[in-house]
Amino acid sequence: MSAQLRAAGAIAPVARRVGLRAVRQFHQFPTGGIQRADLAARDLRRSVQFPAKLYHNAVMVRNASFVRLLPKLAIKFVRIPALFGGLMLGAAGWVQYQAIQLGNSATEMYTNVKTGVTDTAFAIWGTATDIANQTKKGFNEKKGQFTMPEWLDNIMKGEGAAGGGSGGPNGGSEPPKQSRVAGGAAAAGASAAAYGYGAAEEDDDRSPEEVSKDDHMMYITKRMIEIRNLLSRVGQSSSVTLPSIVVIGSQSSGKSSVLEAIVGHEFLPKGSNMITRRPIELTLVNDPQAKVDYGEFPDLGLARVTDFSLIQKTLTELNQSVPESQCVSDDPIRLTIHSPRVPDLSLIDLPGYIQVAGENQPRELKRKISELCDKYIRGPNIILAISAADTDLANSTALQASRRVDPRGERTIGVITKMDLVDPEKGAAILGDKQYPLRLGYVGVISKMPVQTGGLFRRESNNLLASINKNEKAFFNSHPEEFGPNSGAATGTITLRKKLMHVLEQQMSSKLTETTDAITRELEETTYQFKVQYNEQPMSAESYLAASLDDFKHQFHNFANTFGRQQLLELLKDSLDQKVLDQLAARYWNKPIEDLFIAPAEPDSLADLPKADPKSPYWHRQLDTACSGLTRLGVGRLAATVASNAIQANIDKLLDKSSFAKHPSARQVISEAAALVLADRAYATSDGIEISLKPYKFDPDIQPNEWEKGREHVVGVLQGELDQCQNAIKSLENSVGGRKKLREVMSFVDKARKGEIIIEGDHPSGAGGFSAALLARGREAVFLRDRADIINMRILASKSRKCKSLENKYYCPEIFLDAVATKLAQTAVLFLNVEMLNDFYHRFPREVETKLNEYMNSHGGNGLEKFAREDPKIRRHLDLVQRKELLELVLMKIQDLHRFDAAGNVKPDRDYMKKGRGGQRGRWSF
């Protein structure tokens, strides 16, 4: 069968190749001769023989008649191509058709064999699954007698390599009735691992009813802790809260060892000089699906930290961040630990009480610690008062603090540590709570591991709880009269775990109705404010960003419609006008002297320009040099810079008017996006402009109409420069104390320039009764006066009849340079509009979206929320919306608990069910 299958699989491709090869060789036969035909026929014969051999299980079966006829037929067809060419083509097609049919038959055979094998395999797997389900049912019925291994339980659940089967009511076996908590929320006997039976290798002596009850209690506690964590995010109102377990005790009472025994790991900071300086809000989550224990710091963004030594190091660093001068802080550290071997608890570890402040500690340290602890031990929190057995309870600071806020001892659990350090009789008397009674009683523990020789802890399989439990059992069982079952004393860490779970669940349940009423009132008030202040308009960080971005894009679109080629031309022409003035000042206006106190070497030749010879090489050279300096100053780079600066300035103005003005970081991101797009095109645009301006660098061709426009425009440019000179002189007058004072200084400078007064060098103390600073202002005023006179003269010259004609360009250099500048600007703007402006309008909106997305994602998922909350108005809106949503979510979870009815543990009142969500007044019965 397998040989036939292999042969059939090989026949299909070989047969197809035979047909195709026959067709190709047919086209070669007419021109290839008899020898090529024989070779083709022999090759075809070999190709046909090979799949035939495979199909008949490696037995040679040769179709001799067909093969022997091929060479003869080929020779005849070569000799008579016109007669038998069509017949050969048909034969080749027939061969290809037969080969395709043979391949299809082989493929069909292979498919049938594969289908049969697959059906058989699935049938075997289905039978195995049925056997596994029956076996699992037997295990469930006998669950109280033995524990199923984890690997076998995974196979029964279908979680192995086979791919996992379907669960639920219609697939697989139904889980035991006692394990169904709110639709299977908790596993059967989950409380056993939470209490520590499995970890401590202690037999679970609870009855099935007690196991079921404890499982239901664990489920309720888990949901209540979830509700409490939600309520902590609501904040502000002290009535909207659920209790936690607050751990207090002196520094040497063994408080940290008790917490580590409850968790089963060493993770708290160790050392002297008060290591715990901040409250540690510890949430234990019973997670049966967790393969390894791990911790999370939600405020720090640290998730799934499986190394508890790293958790310990992190806690130490967070506590040491508090300055030694301050020593304690009320800023809590939030830590969540997930494990299948911990109960669902909400614990708060506080700094230990001290009697006397140390030398390097502030004097008010004792008072600060007491005030911090009093803040947390107020109701409805449960107090876990840690006291050492070798210390008189009358001196226990933890019990004294609890008495102040809980005088009747209704929400205080006493934990007596170091029970092995006192006589059994004294320890039993302490646990009997006769002298300092507590309604919730005392529990004696030995949470500190004894030390072997060499300083090593006695551990078994690195399980802290198992080692502590073994040590506790060894001690307490050795004194049956004081700590035995009939003594009534509560001892051991496992007993403490049980008590904490039951007390927390009872306290939360007792406060839940009160909390429900408070939440209802808070929700009504929040809903009213939401309606009055915001007209029930929804708000989210995403919608706010989208609205802000749409508004900015709308403004940008309006800017793009109003800022185009004409605006660019005006900006570039203004910049070139300044360059024209610079050339005029360098070549015509500035006098060839270095110091105004030195007499000029030659008369002012600019005044002689209207009367100069038209063919004077001096004036020709001056104009040619000025024109060359203007055309070769780098107009391309100047134009790209002017355009980029103008666009960037307008984008910044749009941002200042938009909602992004309230978000400095996002505003910077958008501004940088604009700069990036502009810089990307600046160099290419600059080079393109320089290439387009090459014809004007040697002989700018100015037309008469351009000359006339330049004549009109340059008068305004010169008048603007004149106004600036006059304004600068007025500013100097005000700085020296008036016009009269400035004229006196200017008169002294003029006399010095004419040689009427001889001054040897610059003296720091000045000259002529004037200070050096006053003389500097006088020289500046003289320069501005002379410049104003020159500009006035050139304005009159530009308006004269002589400057109307282009032929007199050497007499009117201002007009000629202005006309050249206009021509350069017009040419450059054509390139700017296409290469830079249009490209920017197309790319900038997309670049903004990309950069904003990168910015929001760079903050670990909180960038969007952080962005929206930078606006105070939006922050208040978001806070109100989130508060409303949180309160609604809490009420929904409380309703789920009210509706939950399993094994008679929780029963909602009928009045509550009738009132529904609007008025939660139900009562709990546990």
Side-chain angles (χ1 to χ4, degrees):
M1 182 67 176
S2 60
Q4 294 177 357
L5 183 61
R6 290 194 299 270
I11 285 173
V14 173
R16 288 185 175 89
R17 288 197 299 271
V18 169
L20 295 175
R21 191 178 303 165
V23 174
R24 289 195 300 268
Q25 290 178 354
F26 169 75
H27 293 286
Q28 297 173 0
F29 289 163
T31 59
I34 299 175
Q35 185 179 1
R36 296 181 64 183
D38 290 338
L39 293 176
R42 185 173 55 190
D43 187 53
L44 179 62
R45 182 170 63 252
R46 291 176 179 175
S47 300
V48 174
Q49 290 173 0
F50 179 71
K53 293 177 183 180
L54 292 178
Y55 182 75
H56 292 288
N57 197 12
V59 178
M60 292 186 179
V61 179
R62 184 177 302 174
N63 193 346
S65 59
F66 177 76
V67 175
R68 292 174 182 175
L69 288 175
L70 281 179
K72 298 180 180 180
L73 291 174
I75 294 172
K76 292 181 179 181
F77 289 159
V78 171
R79 294 176 179 175
I80 315 176
L83 182 61
F84 296 100
L87 183 60
M88 185 60 189
L89 181 60
W94 179 83
V95 171
Q96 183 179 5
Y97 172 78
Q98 294 297 329
I100 293 173
Q101 292 297 323
L102 188 58
N104 293 338
S105 300
T107 304
E108 183 178 0
M109 181 185 299
Y110 175 78
T111 303
N112 293 336
V113 173
K114 180 179 178 183
T115 304
V117 173
T118 305
D119 294 340
T120 304
F122 275 108
I124 295 173
W125 174 252
T127 304
T129 304
D130 294 338
I131 296 173
N133 291 335
Q134 295 176 8
T135 306
K136 185 175 181 180
K137 183 176 181 181
F139 273 109
N140 290 331
E141 293 174 355
K142 302 293 185 179
K143 186 172 181 66
Q145 300 179 9
F146 59 88
T147 304
M148 185 186 303
E150 183 179 357
W151 63 270
L152 182 58
D153 184 58
N154 291 337
I155 293 178
M156 299 303 180
K157 294 177 181 177
E159 296 175 355
S166 61
N170 299 325
S173 60
E174 185 177 358
K177 184 176 181 179
Q178 66 184 24
S179 68
R180 299 182 63 188
V181 179
S191 58
Y195 288 157
Y197 286 122
E201 300 181 0
E202 182 176 331
D203 295 335
D204 190 353
D205 55 356
R206 298 175 297 168
S207 64
E209 291 76 11
E210 292 176 339
V211 172
S212 178
K213 182 178 180 180
D214 290 342
D215 289 343
H216 295 318
M217 183 268 296
M218 277 193 60
Y219 172 75
I220 295 172
T221 306
K222 181 187 290 290
R223 296 297 171 259
M224 288 183 177
I225 290 178
E226 292 177 358
I227 294 172
R228 178 196 173 276
N229 293 336
L230 289 174
L231 291 176
S232 65
R233 296 168 56 187
V234 174
Q236 295 182 358
S237 178
S238 60
S239 61
V240 184
T241 184
L242 284 174
S244 297
I245 300 174
V246 181
V247 185
I248 59 174
S250 62
Q251 288 190 14
S252 59
S253 61
K255 180 168 56 70
S256 298
S257 300
V258 171
L259 284 174
E260 290 178 342
I262 294 174
V263 176
H265 291 279
E266 293 183 1
F267 67 97
L268 290 174
K270 299 291 192 301
S272 58
N273 195 21
M274 199 186 66
I275 292 298
T276 303
R277 301 178 181 179
R278 297 170 59 184
I280 301 177
E281 295 185 0
L282 177 62
T283 302
L284 304 183
V285 178
N286 182 267
D287 187 359
Q289 304 300 325
K291 302 301 181 183
V292 294
D293 300 354
Y294 64 91
E296 295 179 337
F297 291 89
D299 295 341
L300 303 179
L302 296 177
R304 298 191 67 85
V305 183
T306 57
D307 187 358
F308 278 79
S309 62
L310 180 59
I311 295 178
Q312 186 180 50
K313 180 181 178 181
T314 304
L315 289 175
T316 302
E317 293 175 351
L318 291 174
N319 278 282
Q320 290 179 348
S321 64
V322 180
E324 292 187 359
S325 58
Q326 185 179 356
C327 283
V328 293
S329 171
D330 58 355
D331 184 20
I333 303 173
R334 294 178 176 86
L335 171 63
T336 303
I337 294 179
H338 296 255
S339 172
R341 292 173 293 275
V342 297
D344 291 294
L345 292 176
S346 178
L347 303 165
I348 300 176
D349 182 28
L350 297 175
Y353 290 104
I354 63 171
Q355 298 298 329
V356 180
E359 181 178 357
N360 297 327
Q361 296 174 340
R363 295 182 180 180
E364 64 273 10
L365 176 60
K366 180 179 179 181
R367 176 181 57 82
K368 286 185 176 181
I369 295 177
S370 179
E371 291 176 352
L372 178 62
C373 293
D374 290 345
K375 175 183 176 181
Y376 278 92
I377 62 178
R378 292 196 297 263
N381 287 339
I382 303 163
I383 304 172
L384 194 65
I386 310 294
S387 303
D390 58 349
T391 303
D392 190 356
L393 292 186
N395 298 324
S396 173
T397 52
L399 290 177
Q400 291 175 3
S402 66
R403 284 285 183 91
R404 292 197 302 268
V405 296
D406 183 28
R408 300 175 60 181
E410 294 180 344
R411 52 185 183 87
T412 303
I413 302 175
V415 178
I416 307 301
T417 61
K418 307 178 183 179
M419 291 291 294
D420 55 339
L421 299 184
V422 298
D423 296 334
E425 295 80 6
K426 182 179 179 181
I430 295 174
L431 299 181
D433 65 8
K434 295 180 180 179
Q435 187 175 3
Y436 304 99
L438 297 175
R439 182 165 298 183
L440 299 179
Y442 290 85
V443 180
V445 297
I446 308 175
S447 55
K448 190 71 173 180
M449 287 297 303
V451 180
Q452 280 184 336
T453 304
L456 298 176
F457 288 111
R458 293 184 298 182
R459 298 282 181 84
E460 295 184 3
S461 303
N462 294 326
N463 193 323
L464 178 63
L465 181 58
S467 303
I468 291 176
N469 180 71
K470 185 174 182 180
N471 185 50
E472 287 179 332
K473 288 180 64 177
F475 176 79
F476 292 125
N477 289 345
S478 62
H479 305 285
E481 295 183 1
E482 292 82 4
F483 307 113
N486 299 325
S487 65
T491 58
T493 302
I494 290 182
T495 303
L496 177 60
R497 277 188 166 197
K498 293 181 184 179
K499 182 180 284 291
L500 291 178
M501 292 176 64
H502 283 279
V503 171
L504 182 61
E505 186 267 340
Q506 292 173 1
Q507 291 291 330
M508 283 186 170
S509 301
S510 64
K511 296 294 182 180
L512 196 56
T513 301
E514 177 183 346
T515 304
T516 302
D517 296 339
I519 291 173
T520 303
R521 293 192 296 269
E522 290 281 343
L523 180 58
E524 292 174 352
E525 177 65 23
T526 303
T527 303
Y528 175 76
Q529 293 180 6
F530 184 57
K531 183 176 182 179
V532 172
Q533 296 181 15
Y534 302 104
N535 196 23
E536 297 183 345
Q537 180 181 0
M539 172 59 68
S540 64
E542 294 82 0
S543 62
Y544 173 66
L545 176 60
S548 301
L549 196 56
D550 289 343
D551 179 65
F552 176 74
K553 286 183 178 180
H554 178 70
Q555 296 182 25
F556 176 75
H557 180 71
N558 294 336
F559 161 72
N561 292 333
T562 57
F563 188 85
R565 186 168 62 183
Q566 182 61 33
Q567 287 73 25
L568 281 177
L569 177 61
E570 293 175 359
L571 292 171
L572 182 57
K573 188 59 173 63
D574 289 342
S575 298
L576 288 176
D577 287 343
Q578 297 302 316
K579 300 299 181 182
V580 168
L581 293 176
D582 293 341
Q583 293 296 326
L584 290 172
R587 302 296 172 186
Y588 294 93
W589 298 348
N590 293 340
K591 294 184 178 181
I593 58 175
E594 298 181 356
D595 194 331
L596 294 179
F597 284 151
I598 301 177
E602 60 182 73
D604 189 356
S605 60
L606 186 62
D608 301 331
L609 178 60
K611 302 177 182 179
D613 185 3
K615 299 181 180 180
S616 172
Y618 174 78
W619 297 113
H620 283 227
R621 186 171 58 253
Q622 290 291 90
L623 182 59
D624 293 342
T625 304
C627 181
S628 177
L630 180 63
T631 57
R632 301 184 183 186
L633 60 83
V635 178
R637 183 173 61 254
L638 175 66
T641 302
V642 168
S644 298
N645 293 341
I647 296 173
Q648 187 71 51
N650 280 278
I651 294 297
D652 292 339
K653 290 180 180 179
L654 294 179
L655 288 171
D656 292 337
K657 296 178 181 179
S658 68
S659 57
F660 288 104
K662 302 175 183 177
H663 308 278
S665 299
R667 184 190 185 283
Q668 183 179 359
V669 168
I670 298 176
S671 180
E672 291 176 353
L676 181 64
V677 176
L678 292 172
D680 186 51
R681 298 297 304 169
Y683 295 106
T685 304
S686 175
D687 293 342
I689 293 175
E690 289 294 338
I691 294 174
S692 64
L693 294 180
K694 276 187 177 181
Y696 304 110
K697 292 184 178 181
F698 302 99
D699 186 18
D701 185 16
I702 304 299
Q703 299 299 322
N705 60 335
E706 296 174 344
W707 176 272
E708 185 62 27
K709 292 180 180 179
R711 182 168 177 263
E712 295 176 0
H713 181 266
V714 77
V715 173
V717 174
L718 294 175
Q719 186 63 47
E721 185 73 7
L722 178 61
D723 294 340
Q724 292 184 11
C725 291
Q726 293 174 350
N727 293 333
I729 293 176
K730 291 181 179 179
S731 177
L732 288 174
E733 291 175 355
N734 297 331
S735 64
V736 300
R739 180 180 300 179
K740 183 177 179 180
K741 187 69 174 179
L742 182 61
R743 286 183 176 180
E744 292 178 358
V745 179
M746 293 173 64
S747 175
F748 178 80
V749 172
D750 288 336
K751 291 180 180 179
R753 291 176 59 189
K754 294 177 181 178
E756 298 177 3
I757 301 176
I758 300 176
I759 301 177
E760 298 180 356
D762 290 337
H763 297 279
S765 59
F770 302 105
S771 65
L774 191 59
L775 288 175
R777 289 183 174 85
R779 289 194 293 268
E780 184 178 357
V782 169
F783 171 80
L784 292 173
R785 182 199 62 192
D786 293 344
R787 174 61 56 85
D789 294 341
I790 293 174
I791 293 175
N792 265 321
M793 180 182 64
R794 296 313 303 167
I795 291 175
L796 295 176
S798 299
K799 293 180 179 180
S800 66
R801 183 179 300 178
K802 196 172 188 178
C803 289
K804 287 184 178 182
S805 175
L806 177 59
E807 298 176 354
N808 298 325
K809 63 180 182 179
Y810 296 104
Y811 294 106
C812 309
E814 296 87 358
I815 301 176
F816 181 77
L817 292 178
D818 185 270
V820 172
T822 302
K823 204 173 191 67
L824 295 175
Q826 291 174 346
T827 305
V829 164
L830 293 176
F831 208 86
L832 277 176
N833 185 62
V834 176
E835 292 296 326
M836 177 174 284
L837 196 61
N838 292 341
D839 180 79
F840 178 80
Y841 290 159
H842 175 72
R843 290 177 52 191
F844 177 65
R846 295 168 176 79
E847 191 71 20
V848 168
E849 292 183 358
T850 301
K851 294 300 182 181
L852 282 179
N853 288 334
E854 294 176 357
Y855 168 73
M856 300 303 171
N857 295 331
S858 64
H859 290 75
N862 296 327
L864 196 58
E865 190 75 17
K866 181 181 178 182
F867 162 78
R869 291 185 173 277
E870 289 177 348
D871 188 345
K873 182 179 179 180
I874 301 301
R875 181 173 63 248
R876 291 191 296 268
H877 195 166
L878 287 175
D879 288 341
L880 194 61
V881 171
Q882 292 180 1
R883 181 179 179 84
K884 179 175 177 292
E885 292 175 350
L886 281 175
L887 291 172
E888 290 175 346
L889 179 60
V890 169
L891 280 180
M892 182 183 68
K893 289 184 174 293
I894 293 177
Q895 278 188 336
D896 292 340
L897 280 179
H898 276 290
R899 288 193 294 267
F900 171 63
D901 185 8
N905 284 345
V906 181
K907 295 180 180 180
D909 286 348
R910 294 181 179 178
D911 294 341
Y912 171 80
M913 301 302 293
K914 291 180 180 179
K915 291 182 180 180
R917 190 170 181 176
Q920 285 77 358
R921 299 286 180 180
R923 297 177 181 175
W924 288 69
S925 57
F926 293 89

Coordinates of all heavy atoms in Angstrom, one line a residue, residues 730-771:
K730 N 16.4 110.3 18.3 CA 15.5 110.7 19.4 C 15.7 109.8 20.6 O 15.7 110.3 21.8 CB 14.0 110.6 19.0 CG 13.6 111.6 17.9 CD 12.2 111.5 17.5 CE 11.7 112.5 16.5 NZ 10.3 112.4 16.1
S731 N 16.0 108.6 20.4 CA 16.3 107.7 21.5 C 17.6 108.1 22.2 O 17.7 108.1 23.4 CB 16.4 106.2 21.0 OG 16.8 105.4 22.0
L732 N 18.6 108.5 21.4 CA 19.8 109.0 22.0 C 19.6 110.3 22.8 O 20.2 110.5 23.9 CB 20.9 109.2 20.9 CG 21.5 108.0 20.3 CD1 22.4 108.3 19.1 CD2 22.3 107.2 21.3
E733 N 18.8 111.1 22.3 CA 18.5 112.4 23.1 C 17.9 112.1 24.4 O 18.2 112.7 25.4 CB 17.5 113.2 22.2 CG 18.1 113.8 21.0 CD 17.1 114.6 20.1 OE1 15.9 114.5 20.5 OE2 17.4 115.2 19.1
N734 N 17.0 111.1 24.5 CA 16.4 110.7 25.7 C 17.4 110.1 26.7 O 17.3 110.2 27.9 CB 15.2 109.8 25.5 CG 14.1 110.4 24.7 OD1 13.9 111.6 24.8 ND2 13.4 109.6 23.9
S735 N 18.4 109.4 26.1 CA 19.3 108.7 27.0 C 20.4 109.6 27.6 O 20.9 109.3 28.7 CB 20.0 107.6 26.2 OG 20.8 108.1 25.1
V736 N 20.7 110.7 26.9 CA 21.7 111.6 27.5 C 21.1 112.8 28.2 O 21.9 113.6 28.8 CB 22.6 112.2 26.3 CG1 23.3 111.0 25.6 CG2 21.8 113.0 25.4
G737 N 19.8 112.9 28.3 CA 19.2 114.0 29.1 C 18.6 115.1 28.3 O 18.5 116.2 28.8
G738 N 18.4 114.9 27.0 CA 17.7 116.0 26.2 C 18.4 116.3 24.9 O 19.6 115.9 24.7
R739 N 17.7 117.0 24.0 CA 18.3 117.4 22.8 C 19.5 118.4 22.9 O 20.5 118.3 22.2 CB 17.2 118.1 21.9 CG 17.7 118.5 20.5 CD 16.6 119.1 19.7 NE 15.5 118.2 19.5 CZ 14.4 118.5 18.8 NH1 14.2 119.7 18.3 NH2 13.4 117.6 18.7
K740 N 19.4 119.3 23.9 CA 20.4 120.3 24.0 C 21.7 119.6 24.4 O 22.8 120.0 23.9 CB 20.0 121.3 25.1 CG 21.0 122.4 25.3 CD 20.5 123.4 26.4 CE 21.5 124.5 26.6 NZ 21.0 125.5 27.6
K741 N 21.7 118.7 25.4 CA 22.9 118.0 25.8 C 23.5 117.2 24.7 O 24.7 117.3 24.5 CB 22.5 117.1 26.9 CG 23.7 116.4 27.6 CD 24.6 117.5 28.4 CE 25.7 116.8 29.1 NZ 26.5 117.8 29.9
L742 N 22.7 116.6 23.9 CA 23.2 115.8 22.8 C 23.8 116.7 21.7 O 24.9 116.3 21.1 CB 22.1 114.9 22.1 CG 22.5 114.0 21.0 CD1 23.5 113.0 21.5 CD2 21.3 113.3 20.4
R743 N 23.2 117.9 21.4 CA 23.8 118.8 20.5 C 25.2 119.3 20.9 O 26.1 119.5 20.1 CB 22.9 119.9 20.2 CG 21.6 119.5 19.4 CD 20.8 120.7 19.1 NE 19.6 120.3 18.2 CZ 18.7 121.1 17.8 NH1 18.7 122.4 18.2 NH2 17.7 120.7 17.0
E744 N 25.3 119.5 22.2 CA 26.6 120.0 22.7 C 27.7 118.9 22.5 O 28.8 119.2 22.0 CB 26.5 120.3 24.2 CG 25.7 121.5 24.5 CD 25.5 121.7 26.0 OE1 26.1 120.9 26.8 OE2 24.9 122.7 26.4
V745 N 27.3 117.7 22.7 CA 28.3 116.6 22.5 C 28.6 116.5 21.0 O 29.8 116.3 20.6 CB 27.8 115.3 23.1 CG1 28.8 114.1 22.8 CG2 27.5 115.4 24.5
M746 N 27.6 116.6 20.1 CA 27.8 116.4 18.7 C 28.6 117.6 18.2 O 29.4 117.4 17.3 CB 26.4 116.4 18.0 CG 25.6 115.2 18.3 SD 23.9 115.3 17.6 CE 24.2 115.3 15.8
S747 N 28.4 118.8 18.7 CA 29.2 119.9 18.3 C 30.7 119.7 18.7 O 31.6 120.0 17.9 CB 28.7 121.2 19.0 OG 29.5 122.3 18.7
F748 N 30.9 119.1 19.8 CA 32.3 118.8 20.2 C 32.9 117.8 19.2 O 34.1 117.9 18.8 CB 32.3 118.3 21.6 CG 33.7 117.9 22.1 CD1 34.6 118.9 22.5 CD2 34.1 116.6 22.1 CE1 35.9 118.5 23.0 CE2 35.4 116.2 22.6 CZ 36.3 117.2 23.0
V749 N 32.1 116.8 18.9 CA 32.7 115.8 17.9 C 32.9 116.4 16.6 O 33.9 116.1 15.9 CB 31.7 114.6 17.8 CG1 32.1 113.6 16.8 CG2 31.5 113.9 19.2
D750 N 32.1 117.3 16.1 CA 32.3 117.9 14.8 C 33.6 118.8 14.8 O 34.3 118.8 13.8 CB 31.1 118.8 14.4 CG 29.9 118.0 14.1 OD1 30.0 116.8 13.7 OD2 28.7 118.5 14.2
K751 N 33.8 119.5 15.9 CA 35.0 120.3 16.0 C 36.3 119.4 16.0 O 37.3 119.7 15.3 CB 35.0 121.1 17.2 CG 34.0 122.2 17.2 CD 34.0 123.1 18.5 CE 32.9 124.2 18.4 NZ 32.9 125.0 19.7
A752 N 36.1 118.2 16.6 CA 37.3 117.3 16.6 C 37.5 116.8 15.2 O 38.7 116.6 14.8 CB 37.0 116.2 17.6
R753 N 36.5 116.5 14.5 CA 36.6 116.0 13.2 C 37.2 117.0 12.2 O 38.0 116.7 11.3 CB 35.3 115.6 12.6 CG 34.7 114.3 13.3 CD 33.3 114.0 12.7 NE 33.4 113.8 11.3 CZ 32.3 113.7 10.5 NH1 31.1 113.8 11.1 NH2 32.4 113.5 9.2
K754 N 36.9 118.3 12.4 CA 37.4 119.4 11.6 C 38.8 119.8 12.0 O 39.5 120.5 11.3 CB 36.5 120.6 11.6 CG 35.1 120.3 11.0 CD 34.3 121.6 11.2 CE 32.9 121.3 10.6 NZ 32.0 122.5 10.8
G755 N 39.3 119.3 13.1 CA 40.7 119.6 13.5 C 40.7 120.8 14.4 O 41.8 121.3 14.7
E756 N 39.6 121.4 14.7 CA 39.6 122.6 15.6 C 40.0 122.3 17.0 O 40.5 123.1 17.7 CB 38.2 123.3 15.6 CG 37.8 123.7 14.2 CD 36.4 124.3 14.2 OE1 35.8 124.4 15.3 OE2 35.9 124.7 13.1
I757 N 39.8 121.0 17.4 CA 40.2 120.5 18.7 C 41.0 119.3 18.5 O 40.7 118.4 17.7 CB 38.9 120.2 19.6 CG1 38.1 121.5 19.8 CG2 39.4 119.7 20.9 CD1 36.8 121.2 20.5
I758 N 42.2 119.3 19.1 CA 43.1 118.2 19.0 C 43.0 117.3 20.2 O 43.1 117.7 21.3 CB 44.5 118.7 18.8 CG1 44.7 119.6 17.6 CG2 45.5 117.5 18.7 CD1 46.0 120.2 17.4
I759 N 42.6 116.0 19.9 CA 42.5 115.0 21.0 C 43.4 113.9 20.7 O 43.4 113.3 19.6 CB 41.0 114.5 21.1 CG1 40.1 115.7 21.4 CG2 40.9 113.4 22.1 CD1 38.6 115.3 21.4
E760 N 44.3 113.6 21.6 CA 45.3 112.5 21.4 C 44.7 111.2 22.0 O 44.7 111.0 23.2 CB 46.6 112.9 22.1 CG 47.2 114.1 21.5 CD 48.5 114.5 22.2 OE1 48.9 113.8 23.2 OE2 49.2 115.4 21.7
G761 N 44.2 110.4 21.1 CA 43.7 109.0 21.6 C 42.4 109.1 22.4 O 41.9 110.2 22.6
D762 N 41.9 108.0 22.7 CA 40.7 107.8 23.5 C 41.1 107.7 25.0 O 41.8 106.8 25.4 CB 39.9 106.6 23.1 CG 39.3 106.9 21.7 OD1 39.1 108.0 21.4 OD2 38.9 105.9 21.0
H763 N 40.6 108.6 25.8 CA 40.9 108.6 27.2 C 39.7 107.9 28.0 O 38.5 108.2 27.7 CB 41.1 110.0 27.8 CG 42.3 110.6 27.2 ND1 43.6 110.4 27.6 CD2 42.4 111.5 26.2 CE1 44.5 111.1 26.9 NE2 43.8 111.8 26.0
P764 N 39.9 107.0 28.9 CA 38.8 106.4 29.7 C 38.0 107.4 30.4 O 36.8 107.2 30.6 CB 39.5 105.5 30.7 CG 40.9 105.2 30.1 CD 41.3 106.5 29.3
S765 N 38.6 108.6 30.8 CA 37.8 109.6 31.5 C 37.1 110.5 30.6 O 36.3 111.4 31.1 CB 38.7 110.4 32.4 OG 39.8 111.0 31.7
G766 N 37.3 110.4 29.2 CA 36.6 111.3 28.3 C 37.5 112.4 27.9 O 38.7 112.5 28.1
A767 N 36.8 113.4 27.3 CA 37.5 114.6 26.9 C 36.5 115.8 26.7 O 35.3 115.6 26.6 CB 38.2 114.3 25.5
G768 N 37.1 117.0 26.8 CA 36.3 118.2 26.7 C 35.2 118.3 27.7 O 34.2 119.0 27.5
G769 N 35.4 117.7 28.9 CA 34.4 117.8 29.9 C 33.2 116.8 29.8 O 32.3 116.8 30.5
F770 N 33.4 115.9 28.8 CA 32.3 114.9 28.5 C 32.9 113.5 28.9 O 34.1 113.3 28.6 CB 31.9 114.9 27.1 CG 31.3 116.2 26.6 CD1 32.0 117.1 25.8 CD2 30.0 116.6 27.1 CE1 31.5 118.3 25.4 CE2 29.5 117.8 26.6 CZ 30.2 118.7 25.8
S771 N 32.1 112.7 29.4 CA 32.5 111.3 29.8 C 32.7 110.5 28.5 O 32.2 110.9 27.4 CB 31.5 110.7 30.7 OG 30.3 110.5 30.0

